[in-house]
Amino acid sequence: MSVGRVGLVLPLLLLAAIFTSRASGICPHEDPKLQPWSPEHSYENHVTIDGGKKFLLMSSVTVHSIHITSGGKLVIRPSNNAIILRTRYILIENGGELHIGSEDCPFDGHLTIILYGRSDDGELPHDYFGHKYIGVGKEGTLEIHGEKKMSWTFLGKTLHPGGLSEGGYFFQKGWGHRGIIVHAIDPKTGDVIHADRFDTYKSKDESTRLAHYIKSVPEGTILSVAVNDEGSRHLDDSAKKVMTKLGSRHFLHLGFRHPWSFITVKGDPSSSVEDHVEYQGSRGSAVARVHKLFQAGNGEHFNVSLASEWVQDVEWTQWFDKYESTRPRDWEKLSEFQAAYPGKICTHPIDIQVTTVDGTNIPTQVFYKGRHDYRFECRQNNQVHAQCPNYKVRFLCGEQVKPRLTVTVDTNVNSTILHLADNARSWRAGDIIVVTSTDYSMYQAEEFKLLPCRACAPNQVKVEGQAKYLHIGEEIDGVDMRAEVGLLSRNIVIFGEMEDSCYNSAVCKFFDFDTFGGHVKIGQGFRAVHLEGIELKHMGQQSMGHYPVHFHTAGDVDEKGGYNPPTYVKDLSIHHAFSRCVTVHGTNGLLVKDVVGYDTLGHCFFTEDGPEERNTFDHCLGLLVKSGTLLPSDRDNKMCKTITEGSYPGYVAKPRQDCNAVSTFWIANPNNNLVNCSAAGSEETGFWFVFHHVPTGPSEGLYAPGKSEHTPLGKFHNNRAHSNYRAGMIIDNGVKTTEATAKDKRPILTLIGARYGPHQDADPFKPRVPAIIQHFIAYKNQDHGAWLRGGDVWLDGCQFSDNGIGLTLASGGTFPDDDGSKQEVKNSIFVGESNNVGTEMADNLVWGPGGFDHNGRTLPKGVNFPVRGLQIYDGPINVENCTFRKYVSLDGRHTSAIGFRLNNSWQSCPNNNVTKITFEDVPLNLFCYEAICHICD
């Protein structure tokens, strides 16, 4: 070992043992050859571990950098005290090794590796790894194995926004439940022991019964007592004395229909809380509301809330035009309007709005006479006795008031019990989880902190706070719409230290936060890399080649490349990142499993140049994937128009054609496997299979032109996509693989057209090989559930629901040249508008009528957008044994189960077949977009 600049010599302790952890099977930190290392903090300490030296880090440390090379080895010891290792970089190469736990002996302490530094602090970057990294070069070994935890699961029960938490009590009554309502509550558990109603409006006997009931309740019982509707008429002294003894100050003075609420502990009048208001009659609402917090016998808290009220619903009338007989003046009488529009305007409006016919608001003043609205007067431009301009007016009218009593016992105060699909015992109090959106907006994903919960079952967790949005936890209308629940916390954290705000002018045009995070990069010729059980936060940079986890031109990393065990990345959480999640670049045979990627910029799970094959993405979850600056396909409209590097002079970007393709899974070669994965929210697309006509970047020349367009699809099974803007899945398009020229001014890697036709051995002259998509679920995607272009793309057992368009099938554009190719959809379900109505919130851009009941719901696009189930572009297509549900047209909106896309002159194949189809609640079965078609019966 050697140390640069400061000449610091690390303490050495040679232990007498000669066996290694791999040979003996013991935990890495138990290797007796290791020498303890507890250095002092020093920003100038350039640590080099080499010459076969082996060190065991015992405590927290800050250093400039760590270079492990020439047979050097660093192991981090698990400890009861958290260890924080702060460094600019860790470089592992030339036989160097870094071990943090092992597969058979996971690290059971708490470790945080902080990568620090600014892009402008004067440090020279490594010519390959750059700044702020953990880098693995030739013959380097990186083994990080955190505690084994469930990475993500599904909700097992729907989580509702706000409202009553799981395990509480809710009681609400209106008309027909008159009198004094009493609930007796067990102070040890929060359970409601008994409830009764005493109609003290009807009979004095009820007042006597109330007094006897209160006397019979055991001391220490919590009592919730309130009036619903009317309860004062026949109250006698016995009831009044009992209530006064309990601690009430207002029960003696209850008047007709007065709202009154009272919570107390019998025997402790000082514990009482009470509210009382007078009845307002038809003039409006009135409410007496109280609540009190109690501690149960198990130490946890519960809250009792009580509301006695008269509720008046209000609504605006229609707009009324200025009536013809009005006189030329600057004020109008309400009585004259009521006469002009009999029965349409209430006697006593709550409010008045006036606007000119062209929509300009008119300031008005309402004058009163004898508590009645008498007239309203124009005050436009400080006019004096001038005629009101042509206007229209509407009135806010109150409906008849009605009584309502609400009793709530919330046994999870400011907390919620989540029911999960799987055993969550590996999750712990203090962990952070994220629950995905189950609506169109990906921004309805919510983070929660886990709380201790002694009463929770193995598949339950208690979280702090309550949900803002609806998160579905069940199958609806035959479609599995359960929200995913991902674990973000791990006991090993790799963390990029960030500045408080953006400071790079090139990047700050698009982001107001620092995007210069850390990164982990593995290069060609490494000896061994296995990563699991790690949390990576604030990782990635808005510069090429610096991503949270990046395998760069590593070649074959499985048995084919001589790696045994094969290389893997498992059980990671990558969140609040600044450039992608996992990048597989020029690398084959990598296993990426149980990875959660959340809140990142640019494609999340990313294959880069086109030759990447045999990689497997198994049970990976990605959500909240936003646009980034690096590639045209990463960029949004503004970035696409602003960033023109690599283009030919005079280039004018067309964002929806050249860019706008950021995806959760960006797959540049069909020969990769995606199994059990979820794309739960991207600014554009969930899964996008794109084609490089030739390999790009450092992979140039690795396959013949056109190979990727004919390569058979790997395994695509049991995947799901929802809450994406453009589509749940796309198989279409390529990227431009040539530099910009005067003839084609677009920069390299902009989106272009491509056609997919899989054949055996990627040879178009050999037999076709169908691309099989099995058990794919797509719901609540704004534009498409899936857009699939190509010959021989077959779907089986899929589910589509609440998408703008469920599925569009477009051929490879070769019919009839490639005679015999076809697309198929079998044994699948299409639902137009399910019972998942969503949440009416500001981030749902479109809320309007829909479904059979025409009630409000979130909508995928505009209120008049023609929702379709299956859309046929050309063909040939076979549809067999499929069910179409709930496609209902509205006034001004066409909706159909099956439609044809006929918006251009492209041919339609006459050999499209639809057989064994079931329509359920589908009045209109067929609709042709921008054309006239017959309606199927």
Side-chain angles (χ1 to χ4, degrees):
M1 179 197 67
S2 63
V3 180
R5 290 200 288 244
V6 298
L8 176 65
V9 178
L10 299 177
L12 304 179
L13 178 61
L14 186 60
L15 303 178
I18 58 173
F19 56 88
T20 66
S21 61
R22 179 174 294 275
S24 66
I26 63 173
C27 297
H29 64 276
E30 295 174 344
D31 184 351
K33 288 186 176 181
L34 295 171
Q35 304 173 26
W37 179 36
S38 296
E40 296 181 357
H41 298 277
S42 172
Y43 286 101
E44 301 301 321
N45 190 356
H46 296 246
V47 175
T48 299
I49 304 175
D50 59 5
K53 301 296 190 299
K54 300 180 179 181
F55 292 92
L56 181 67
L57 180 62
M58 309 287 287
S59 60
S60 297
V61 63
T62 295
V63 296
H64 176 277
S65 56
I66 299 176
H67 185 192
I68 311 172
T69 185
S70 302
K73 182 176 182 179
L74 176 62
V75 179
I76 299 180
R77 188 188 73 169
S79 170
N80 293 330
N81 299 319
I83 293 178
I84 299 175
L85 171 57
R86 192 164 175 269
T87 181
R88 286 183 176 273
Y89 65 81
I90 301 174
L91 175 58
I92 311 159
E93 61 182 351
N94 300 324
E97 301 181 23
L98 173 59
H99 294 262
I100 307 170
S102 69
E103 186 169 4
D104 296 328
C105 182
F107 185 86
D108 61 2
H110 290 274
L111 168 68
T112 299
I113 298 176
I114 297 176
L115 301 171
Y116 70 89
R118 292 170 54 109
S119 61
D120 61 357
D121 62 8
E123 281 286 322
L124 293 177
H126 189 280
D127 58 4
Y128 182 75
F129 294 106
H131 289 287
K132 216 168 173 177
Y133 61 86
I134 297 177
V136 185
K138 187 174 182 180
E139 292 297 316
T141 296
L142 178 61
E143 298 282 349
I144 305 180
H145 303 265
E147 290 181 338
K148 298 183 184 300
K149 293 192 171 189
M150 179 175 65
S151 62
W152 64 275
T153 182
F154 296 101
L155 280 181
K157 186 177 181 180
T158 295
L159 174 61
H160 293 275
L164 186 66
S165 300
E166 184 68 25
Y169 174 83
F170 181 80
F171 173 93
Q172 190 172 80
K173 294 294 182 181
W175 292 117
H177 210 76
R178 179 182 59 202
I180 308 293
I181 313 300
V182 181
H183 285 75
I185 302 167
D186 186 342
K188 295 181 179 179
T189 63
D191 294 334
V192 174
I193 307 167
H194 188 264
D196 207 341
R197 178 174 70 94
F198 304 88
D199 191 353
T200 51
Y201 171 82
K202 179 180 180 181
S203 167
K204 284 189 176 181
D205 292 340
E206 287 291 277
S207 183
T208 302
R209 191 170 71 87
L210 171 61
H212 288 315
Y213 178 83
I214 296 297
K215 290 178 182 178
S216 68
V217 172
E219 296 281 315
T221 302
I222 300 169
L223 289 171
S224 160
V225 192
V227 171
N228 186 51
D229 189 352
E230 211 308 287
S232 66
R233 182 179 180 185
H234 285 116
L235 283 177
D236 63 13
D237 288 342
S238 64
K240 292 179 179 180
K241 289 179 181 179
V242 167
M243 287 298 173
T244 302
K245 185 177 180 181
L246 286 175
S248 171
R249 294 178 290 108
H250 297 289
F251 196 75
L252 288 171
H253 311 294
L254 283 185
F256 178 72
R257 286 187 164 177
H258 286 191
W260 173 73
S261 297
F262 177 61
I263 298 173
T264 190
V265 177
K266 186 177 179 183
D268 183 9
S270 65
S271 68
S272 302
V273 290
E274 186 176 21
D275 192 16
H276 167 251
V277 296
E278 292 186 359
Y279 176 55
Q280 301 298 306
S282 62
R283 295 195 302 274
S285 301
V287 58
R289 192 188 312 273
V290 293
H291 65 89
K292 190 171 181 63
L293 187 67
F294 298 91
Q295 187 171 22
N298 62 4
E300 298 189 6
H301 291 84
F302 64 92
N303 188 64
V304 180
S305 301
L306 180 60
S308 168
E309 55 190 322
W310 286 94
V311 181
Q312 182 181 49
D313 294 329
V314 297
E315 63 180 353
W316 288 100
T317 65
Q318 69 188 71
W319 287 99
F320 299 105
D321 291 336
K322 179 180 181 180
Y323 54 93
E324 294 180 357
S325 61
T326 185
R327 285 171 284 180
R329 60 193 181 196
D330 63 349
W331 57 269
E332 309 294 350
K333 284 186 177 181
L334 174 63
S335 59
E336 293 177 356
F337 260 93
Q338 291 169 333
Y341 299 98
K344 295 185 178 181
I345 303 173
C346 53
T347 306
H348 306 297
I350 299 170
D351 196 7
I352 298 174
Q353 285 186 349
V354 185
T355 181
T356 60
V357 173
D358 64 6
T360 305
N361 285 330
I362 303 175
T364 60
Q365 182 175 354
V366 179
F367 292 84
Y368 299 92
K369 180 179 180 180
R371 299 185 68 185
H372 295 288
D373 295 326
Y374 178 64
R375 70 184 188 185
F376 62 89
E377 182 173 309
C378 299
R379 292 293 186 189
Q380 187 172 33
N381 298 325
N382 296 316
Q383 66 186 47
V384 178
H385 303 301
Q387 182 178 1
C388 290
N390 289 331
Y391 63 84
K392 54 185 178 179
V393 59
R394 66 175 183 172
F395 304 88
L396 183 65
C397 294
E399 299 180 357
Q400 181 183 4
V401 294
K402 55 188 176 182
R404 184 169 66 196
L405 176 74
T406 306
V407 182
T408 299
V409 183
D410 188 350
T411 55
N412 297 301
V413 176
N414 195 31
S415 62
T416 307
I417 299 294
L418 304 189
H419 294 252
L420 306 176
D422 297 293
N423 187 315
R425 289 299 195 208
S426 62
W427 296 1
R428 297 176 181 172
D431 285 349
I432 304 298
I433 62 172
V434 60
V435 181
T436 67
S437 170
T438 53
D439 208 345
Y440 295 109
S441 171
M442 69 177 182
Y443 293 99
Q444 291 187 15
E446 299 188 66
E447 294 180 36
F448 296 98
K449 182 179 180 180
L450 298 191
L451 298 174
C453 184
R454 292 186 290 269
C456 285
N459 68 325
Q460 295 176 325
V461 293
K462 187 175 186 178
V463 300
E464 186 175 78
Q466 296 180 338
K468 296 179 182 178
Y469 306 100
L470 175 69
H471 301 274
I472 300 299
E474 58 194 290
E475 182 179 285
I476 295 183
D477 294 315
V479 178
D480 182 0
M481 298 190 191
R482 293 174 297 167
E484 297 83 0
V485 184
L487 178 68
L488 301 183
S489 301
R490 298 293 191 276
N491 68 314
I492 298 175
V493 180
I494 302 176
F495 179 83
E497 186 175 274
M498 310 305 296
E499 299 296 320
D500 293 335
S501 61
C502 186
Y503 58 88
N504 182 328
S505 59
V507 176
C508 297
K509 290 184 288 187
F510 309 106
F511 309 106
D512 60 3
F513 50 87
D514 184 7
T515 61
F516 194 68
H519 66 107
V520 178
K521 186 172 185 177
I522 297 98
Q524 188 174 20
F526 63 87
R527 180 173 295 175
V529 172
H530 301 96
L531 307 177
E532 61 179 331
I534 311 169
E535 175 184 353
L536 297 105
K537 182 178 181 181
H538 294 168
M539 300 289 282
Q541 301 167 9
Q542 282 295 294
S543 58
M544 295 295 290
H546 307 122
Y547 316 121
V549 177
H550 180 196
F551 284 81
H552 183 257
T553 61
D556 297 320
V557 297
D558 54 2
E559 294 93 336
K560 186 175 180 180
Y563 290 94
N564 190 15
T567 309
Y568 61 71
V569 172
K570 298 193 302 186
D571 190 23
L572 307 186
S573 77
I574 303 168
H575 63 96
H576 299 93
F578 306 118
S579 182
R580 317 208 185 287
C581 300
V582 178
T583 295
V584 182
H585 182 189
T587 299
N588 310 310
L590 179 67
L591 174 62
V592 182
K593 183 176 182 179
D594 294 325
V595 175
V596 175
Y598 164 55
D599 194 358
T600 192
L601 306 177
H603 307 303
C604 183
F605 298 94
F606 177 60
T607 59
E608 189 159 347
D609 283 349
E612 298 85 8
E613 296 189 88
R614 299 184 294 100
N615 301 290
T616 296
F617 298 89
D618 185 358
H619 199 248
C620 293
L621 167 64
L623 66 151
L624 210 65
V625 178
K626 296 174 284 190
S627 298
T629 64
L630 299 188
L631 297 177
S633 56
D634 289 313
R635 298 169 189 157
D636 62 15
N637 287 3
K638 178 181 178 181
M639 299 169 186
C640 191
K641 294 177 180 179
T642 304
I643 303 171
T644 58
E645 284 84 355
S647 64
Y648 196 83
Y651 166 69
V652 178
K654 299 177 180 179
R656 296 307 297 178
Q657 296 180 27
D658 300 347
C659 307
N660 291 104
V662 64
S663 302
T664 305
F665 294 85
W666 180 264
I667 308 300
N669 189 300
N671 186 24
N672 290 286
N673 304 308
L674 292 101
V675 183
N676 305 318
C677 291
S678 179
S682 168
E683 283 189 357
E684 292 293 338
T685 300
F687 300 88
W688 197 320
F689 287 87
V690 69
F691 305 97
H692 290 237
H693 186 68
V694 295
T696 55
S699 303
E700 184 177 352
L702 290 184
Y703 60 72
K707 179 182 177 182
S708 68
E709 292 100 313
H710 298 297
T711 297
L713 185 70
K715 189 174 184 180
F716 192 92
H717 176 78
N718 202 36
N719 299 301
R720 49 200 287 125
H722 59 88
S723 311
N724 299 287
Y725 173 71
R726 178 182 286 197
M729 177 167 62
I730 292 178
I731 299 179
D732 199 358
N733 296 102
V735 293
K736 185 171 180 282
T737 57
T738 56
E739 299 292 341
T741 62
K743 184 177 181 180
D744 187 345
K745 297 179 179 180
R746 296 172 296 178
I748 192 171
L749 299 179
T750 53
L751 288 181
I752 60 173
R755 296 294 183 267
Y756 181 48
H759 285 256
Q760 181 181 325
D761 299 327
D763 184 343
F765 298 102
K766 291 186 178 181
R768 288 180 297 275
V769 178
I772 305 297
I773 297 171
Q774 290 185 306
H775 302 157
F776 177 61
I777 299 172
Y779 71 90
K780 291 279 186 174
N781 298 289
Q782 291 186 48
D783 196 341
H784 270 81
W787 169 285
L788 309 179
R789 185 192 295 274
D792 295 293
V793 178
W794 296 1
L795 296 91
D796 186 20
C798 298
Q799 301 174 5
F800 298 88
S801 182
D802 296 275
N803 304 289
I805 302 169
L807 170 64
T808 292
L809 293 175
S811 75
T814 56
F815 177 83
D817 296 332
D818 191 12
D819 187 32
S821 69
K822 62 180 179 179
Q823 294 172 310
E824 290 189 351
V825 187
K826 293 184 177 180
N827 310 312
S828 297
I829 297 173
F830 295 81
V831 180
E833 291 173 309
S834 73
N835 288 338
N836 177 3
V837 300
T839 308
E840 186 176 9
M841 299 292 287
D843 61 352
N844 276 316
L845 300 181
V846 184
W847 177 272
F852 271 91
D853 54 13
H854 293 191
N855 284 339
R857 63 185 297 123
T858 54
L859 299 172
K861 305 191 84 171
V863 293
N864 297 323
F865 181 78
V867 174
R868 282 146 281 173
L870 173 63
Q871 180 173 253
I872 300 171
Y873 197 166
D874 35 31
I877 293 167
N878 290 339
V879 184
E880 181 180 343
N881 196 35
C882 292
T883 298
F884 295 82
R885 294 182 178 136
K886 295 187 174 181
Y887 287 90
V888 183
S889 295
L890 279 70
D891 186 21
R893 187 194 79 180
H894 294 289
T895 303
S896 65
I898 302 174
F900 283 81
R901 181 182 173 93
L902 304 175
N903 63 328
N904 57 36
S905 61
W906 183 250
Q907 63 196 1
S908 292
C909 174
N911 293 330
N912 293 313
N913 299 288
V914 179
T915 58
K916 299 180 181 179
I917 301 301
T918 300
F919 293 106
E920 300 175 358
D921 298 326
V922 182
L924 180 65
N925 299 337
L926 179 67
F927 173 70
C928 296
Y929 178 47
E930 297 188 6
I932 299 175
C933 289
H934 295 291
I935 299 174
C936 297
D937 296 325

